[in-house]
Amino acid sequence: MKQPTLTVDAVVFDGTGRLLLIRRRSPPFRGFYALPGGFVEYGETVEDAALRELKEETGVTAKVQHLVGIY
């Protein structure tokens, strides 16, 4: 595995301001609410990774409006 491993989260609000959350399927915190997200694949941009994870976990297709940060 190449290092470092990056992760992304998507923050999505609907038209009324409700935040989209998922229930975690895997430990840690299985069953708890979380933002949709996951690992960035090698050669993938963080924006593309966030959109891919959002689609995989929720079925929602979106556009990146803002990049909050990379830490």
Side-chain angles (χ1 to χ4, degrees):
M1 174 182 269
K2 294 188 181 279
Q3 296 291 339
T5 52
L6 300 175
T7 60
V8 294
D9 289 315
V11 179
V12 179
F13 294 98
D14 70 7
T16 64
R18 295 179 300 173
L19 176 64
L20 176 64
L21 297 173
I22 60 158
R23 281 200 188 255
R24 290 183 54 95
R25 290 180 282 173
S26 304
F29 308 110
R30 182 180 187 160
F32 284 74
Y33 288 107
L35 295 170
F39 288 99
V40 178
E41 295 175 358
Y42 187 73
E44 185 177 42
T45 67
V46 292
E47 294 90 348
D48 288 343
L51 294 175
R52 176 183 49 77
E53 288 289 343
L54 177 65
K55 178 74 173 175
E56 287 176 4
E57 294 184 2
T58 67
V60 172
T61 302
K63 293 182 186 178
V64 174
Q65 297 290 321
H66 303 285
L67 180 63
V68 175
I70 302 172
Y71 307 98

